[in-house]
Amino acid sequence: MRDTARKRIGYRQIAEKLHARIAAGDYKPGDVLPSEAKLMAEFSVARDTIRRALDQLESEGMVASVHGRGRFVTEKTGGKSVGAKYEQVTEALRNRIQQGQLKPGDALPSEAEVCTEFDVSRTTARKAFAELERDGLAVSDPGKGRTVTSPPDFHDDGDRSTAWLVHGETPIYENYWVTVTKADIQTPDGERFDHHKVYLPPAAMTAMLDDQGRVFMMWRHRFVSDTWNWELPGGVVDDGEDPAATAAREILEETGFRPTGELEHVVSFEPMIGTVKSPHHVFVARGVEKVAEPTEVNESQRTAWIPLRQIPELVARGEVANSGALVALFYLLSTSPQS
């Protein structure tokens, strides 16, 4: 008989399980909790259920969010956020602004008040204020102190007045791998001219991260640019195929591994957006298992599990040149704690 108990688990039960692990010392103060994707895979629930469980733990003071770094187990006695002191102060003030306790136009606490409330130095308080100003949440007025500003709105406002108009498009060359056309273009100032466009099939690639903080990379040659570099497993998305399915298929074919949980979609982007249409779909797999030998024999000369902390050195040496790989690796570097 099929066991559906795991699928019926609610956010309260998940919060209780995580609470028990913290109490038992499985997750110690300062430890980062598993990612939402890992918890989704473990409990077989949706992302919203995991977030509600984590929000409950945060409301109980068991965990704290550090902006851009994830959720950490707090010090049990004080319930204070981990990380640098100025990060603690910044996050506390940011939460007050986002929750409406401090509204646009309101004065922020003074440096002296912050020092007293959070038991920090004046230098720490100033660093926290600087972070808020950098995020556009506060502004400093000499002689008047610091006030809350309206959060910046970077959403699409719907204005299309500067769009380049396409009056027509003529194919020049077409095959499975590339399509080249000539477009009749008109710019906002009224000028009209021909512009070439290139279409490439969409691609999907995945950064596979193991529990030791290592990412699976493939050392390979690219004949077009005569470049040797480290890349991620990936390939072309077939017509009508879900990019996530492509990513999982390419992992298996090129590496023999299979993701143990749901793939985390990082971003879909255009690497050469001015002239070329070539959608790239980037994923992260946090945990994989070896199930077979690779069936693709032309994809790499060698492979390696490379510690994430060594990636910046490879990038600096020019040994990671693929745009999709760079996007995925920079994402991991910005979101994964480094030992």
Side-chain angles (χ1 to χ4, degrees):
M1 187 173 75
R2 187 179 178 184
D3 182 11
T4 59
R6 279 166 61 98
K7 294 189 177 181
R8 293 197 302 268
I9 192 170
Y11 78 92
R12 290 188 178 87
Q13 293 98 318
I14 296 173
E16 289 171 0
K17 289 179 180 292
L18 296 176
H19 191 293
R21 293 176 189 176
I22 294 172
D26 297 337
Y27 303 139
K28 298 179 175 59
D31 285 352
V32 63
L33 288 180
S35 67
E36 292 179 1
K38 280 190 174 181
L39 293 173
M40 288 165 59
E42 177 183 353
F43 294 107
S44 299
V45 296
R47 189 177 297 272
D48 181 64
T49 302
I50 293 299
R51 287 179 175 171
R52 292 181 68 185
L54 294 172
D55 287 344
Q56 178 170 317
L57 290 177
E58 195 163 345
S59 69
E60 296 171 356
M62 299 295 292
V63 303
S65 298
V66 176
H67 188 63
R69 294 177 56 195
R71 291 181 174 89
F72 292 75
V73 179
T74 62
E75 297 293 339
K76 296 180 182 178
T77 54
K80 294 182 180 179
S81 173
V82 298
K85 281 286 189 179
Y86 82 89
E87 291 177 322
Q88 300 176 26
V89 179
T90 303
E91 198 64 26
L93 295 176
R94 182 186 287 111
N95 287 337
R96 293 177 193 177
I97 294 171
Q98 293 174 341
Q99 294 170 9
Q101 298 173 19
L102 289 170
K103 298 179 173 60
D106 288 352
L108 282 170
S110 67
E111 291 180 5
E113 290 171 333
V114 167
C115 291
T116 299
E117 177 181 355
F118 295 95
D119 190 24
V120 296
S121 68
R122 193 172 293 270
T123 298
T124 298
R126 288 173 180 168
K127 287 185 69 174
F129 286 134
E131 288 289 301
L132 293 176
E133 291 178 26
R134 187 194 66 179
D135 291 345
L137 296 175
V139 62
S140 178
D141 187 353
K144 296 184 179 180
R146 299 175 178 88
T147 56
V148 178
T149 60
S150 298
D153 184 4
F154 304 115
H155 293 88
D156 183 357
D157 63 5
D159 185 357
R160 300 292 186 267
S161 59
T162 61
W164 290 26
L165 302 180
V166 181
H167 293 286
E169 201 167 331
T170 304
I172 298 174
Y173 175 81
E174 296 179 77
N175 72 9
Y176 174 78
W177 294 104
V178 61
T179 297
V180 182
T181 69
K182 183 172 66 174
D184 179 4
I185 300 298
Q186 183 177 343
T187 52
D189 63 2
E191 184 180 0
R192 194 162 172 173
F193 54 92
D194 289 338
H195 195 297
H196 286 85
K197 295 173 65 176
V198 179
Y199 296 89
L200 303 179
M205 65 267 341
T206 307
M208 304 190 307
L209 194 69
D210 69 6
D211 56 7
Q212 299 179 54
R214 302 178 304 174
V215 63
F216 186 92
M217 302 291 290
M218 306 166 65
W219 180 253
R220 66 169 300 168
H221 179 245
R222 291 294 184 177
F223 77 93
V224 176
S225 59
D226 192 19
T227 300
W228 285 91
N229 82 137
W230 289 104
E231 296 188 12
L232 303 174
V236 172
V237 179
D238 291 338
D239 288 342
E241 187 177 29
D242 185 336
T246 304
R249 169 170 54 78
E250 293 292 334
I251 290 174
L252 182 60
E253 292 176 355
E254 297 182 7
T255 74
F257 284 94
R258 181 172 59 197
T260 56
E262 182 179 347
L263 289 178
E264 177 184 346
H265 178 244
V266 175
V267 69
S268 294
F269 76 102
E270 293 282 353
M272 299 170 284
I273 202 166
T275 305
V276 180
K277 180 175 176 59
S278 174
H280 278 40
H281 306 283
V282 178
F283 296 88
V284 166
R286 299 180 188 272
V288 293
E289 58 182 355
K290 187 76 171 182
V291 296
E293 291 302 316
T295 57
E296 290 283 356
V297 298
N298 299 317
E299 295 297 331
S300 64
Q301 177 162 312
R302 61 189 173 105
T303 63
W305 284 97
I306 301 177
L308 197 55
R309 64 179 180 276
Q310 293 183 12
I311 294 298
E313 180 183 349
L314 298 181
V315 173
R317 294 205 305 258
E319 294 179 4
V320 184
N322 179 277
S323 60
L326 287 167
V327 168
L329 294 173
F330 287 151
Y331 170 77
L332 287 175
L333 286 167
S334 68
T335 59
S336 301
Q338 303 295 300
S339 57

